[in-house]
Amino acid sequence: MTDTAIPSIEVRLPIKLGQFVKLASLAASGAEARELIEAGDISVNGRVETRRGSALAEGDVVALAQPRGALRVRVTSL
C-alpha cells in the first residue's frame, strides 16, 4: 500500500491515541480502543504503542493489526 492510498481522518490536534482509534472507527468503543492498544494491536508510524494517552501529530499513521494485514489511517489536522 502506498502512502497516497492510506485514508486520512481530519481531527483537531492535539488528540490522544485512544481517542483517535475510536474516532477513526478502528474500535467500536473507547473500551475496545483501550483493549486493542493495551494488547499491542495498535501501532503508530510502524511502532507498537501501548499508551492510549500518547499524543498524535499531523501525518502520523495509526495501524490496527489484523490477520489479513494492517488497517492504516493517517492523522490530518483540521
Side-chain angles (χ1 to χ4, degrees), residues 2-55:
T2 65
D3 282 352
T4 58
I6 299 173
S8 295
I9 300 288
E10 290 184 337
V11 296
R12 192 172 308 271
L13 296 175
I15 190 166
K16 295 177 182 177
L17 178 59
Q19 295 170 317
F20 184 80
V21 168
K22 184 176 180 291
L23 183 67
S25 298
L26 297 176
S29 67
E32 183 183 7
R34 184 187 74 242
E35 291 170 7
L36 290 170
I37 293 166
E38 290 176 355
D41 292 333
I42 300 290
S43 63
V44 178
N45 300 326
R47 303 186 104 174
V48 171
E49 180 57 75
T50 58
R51 299 170 297 150
R52 66 184 174 138
S54 176

